[in-house]
Amino acid sequence: MVIDKGDYKLYKGDCLNVLGGLKTLGVKFDAIITDPPYNISRDNNFHTMGRAGIDFGEWDKDFDLTSWIKPCEPLLKKGGNIVIFNDWKNMSYIVKALEESGFEIKDLIRWEKTNPMPRNRDRRFITDYEFAVWAVKKGGKWTFNRLNDTYERPKIVCGLTSKGEKINGGHPTQKPIEVMEWIINRLTNEGDLVLDPFCGSGSTGIACTNKNRRFVGIELEENYFNMASERIENSK
Ligand SMILES: C[S@@+](CC[C@H](N)C(=O)[O-])C[C@H]1O[C@@H](n2cnc3c(N)ncnc32)[C@H](O)[C@@H]1O
């Protein structure tokens, strides 16, 4: 299924299939900005012991962290930016896959959470960060918009996604629009065509419409696809 609204387009399906179709059509993107599954969900039987682990859903179990990266390469313009969020424990595999697929690693962007989830404070550090790796397709000039008088720190300071940004219960790993806008502002230009192959509830798409970028999103699960469609349409 495809929703085509001109300045944004949403595909419901497996991104590996859709990426192949986009390649056949000869579509070229200025940037790929995405937040794929982190593969951190686990089935567990510890609920009665008060040890409920993380379980975002089946989509976050046994996910192949890297096989989608190579098919992205022909879709990106030379010099195009690619930004991939993930768990820090997975970053080395993602970096290796990017390098093997013709990308040059640039920097690691960090999101510092102002209101992180509580944790056992006597046993662990609180997790107040998430990371995204930024790389560039070789062979062209990349976009980097410095918005600071001195230099840009790769640091986004922002709270967890607010209830106000969630509709119908929201997505379990929904990114705040502010986080996505920070990246869009610095690593894309107005009018650019941006791809998110794992668009979930559509936060990248909303950041794109807010900042006058064109957007293509792909999402496997119907409920998140519908959520993305509703949220992006409402943001216009
Ligand atoms: C981490 S979430 C993205 C959340 C998103 N950034 C947001 O703000 O809502 C990853 C998404 O990828 C989707 N997904 C998993 N495998 C996929 C695949 N093969 N093709 C397309 N989407 C997939 C999941 O259903 C999930 O919604």
Side-chain angles (χ1 to χ4, degrees):
M1 183 181 171
V2 190
I3 293 176
D4 186 351
K5 297 277 185 173
D7 49 353
Y8 75 89
K9 204 170 188 175
L10 292 175
Y11 290 87
K12 192 194 123 12
D14 186 328
C15 67
L16 282 175
N17 297 332
V18 179
L19 294 172
L22 292 171
K23 184 184 168 198
T24 308
L25 290 172
V27 183
K28 291 279 182 190
F29 293 91
D30 297 290
I32 299 175
I33 299 173
T34 194
D35 175 32
Y38 291 13
N39 238 350
I40 53 176
S41 290
R42 298 285 174 266
D43 287 324
N44 70 73
N45 301 310
F46 296 130
H47 296 271
T48 51
M49 297 162 66
R51 288 172 60 188
I54 299 175
D55 190 350
F56 295 128
E58 290 309 307
W59 56 267
D60 194 45
K61 292 173 195 161
D62 299 322
F63 173 75
D64 182 338
L65 290 166
T66 54
S67 63
W68 61 276
I69 291 175
K70 205 171 183 58
C72 282
E73 191 272 344
L75 297 176
L76 199 56
K77 288 181 185 165
K78 284 183 181 170
N81 288 321
I82 180 165
V83 177
I84 306 172
F85 278 90
N86 224 280
D87 189 58
W88 64 270
K89 290 178 198 152
N90 297 332
M91 279 303 181
S92 62
Y93 306 113
I94 292 169
V95 163
K96 186 165 178 279
L98 282 166
E99 286 175 339
E100 287 173 355
S101 305
F103 297 98
E104 196 171 291
I105 306 299
K106 290 297 172 202
D107 287 308
L108 193 64
I109 299 168
R110 62 189 190 274
W111 165 23
E112 288 186 12
K113 301 176 179 182
T114 51
N115 54 350
M117 296 282 283
R119 212 176 191 188
N120 184 338
R121 61 186 183 182
D122 297 320
R123 301 284 293 164
R124 297 291 301 269
F125 295 104
I126 201 153
T127 308
D128 64 351
Y129 55 80
E130 279 190 49
F131 293 111
V133 62
W134 166 39
V136 168
K137 178 165 165 174
K138 288 178 189 167
K141 192 176 178 299
W142 64 87
T143 297
F144 182 81
N145 300 322
R146 179 170 60 82
L147 302 178
N148 194 297
D149 286 345
T150 53
Y151 50 81
E152 282 286 355
R153 284 173 181 250
K155 178 170 92 162
I156 311 167
V157 181
C158 179
L160 298 169
T161 309
S162 68
K163 282 200 178 114
E165 286 188 22
K166 300 204 171 193
I167 58 165
N168 307 330
H171 189 292
T173 66
Q174 191 172 321
K175 287 281 178 295
I177 295 165
E178 187 181 334
V179 167
M180 303 318 295
E181 285 183 348
W182 189 99
I183 296 168
I184 293 285
N185 279 335
R186 285 158 182 80
L187 297 181
T188 70
N189 293 314
E190 282 205 24
D192 275 1
L193 183 60
V194 177
L195 171 68
D196 183 348
F198 301 94
C199 80
S201 66
S203 297
T204 312
I206 295 170
C208 284
T209 34
N210 287 352
K211 300 295 172 187
N212 300 319
R213 275 69 167 167
R214 293 168 300 136
F215 177 70
V216 173
I218 310 170
E219 171 56 44
L220 188 62
E221 304 255 342
E222 187 165 9
N223 52 337
Y224 302 141
F225 172 84
N226 291 337
M227 210 178 267
S229 157
E230 193 177 332
R231 289 182 71 222
I232 297 171
E233 195 54 32
N234 289 345
S235 73
K236 289 210 299 180

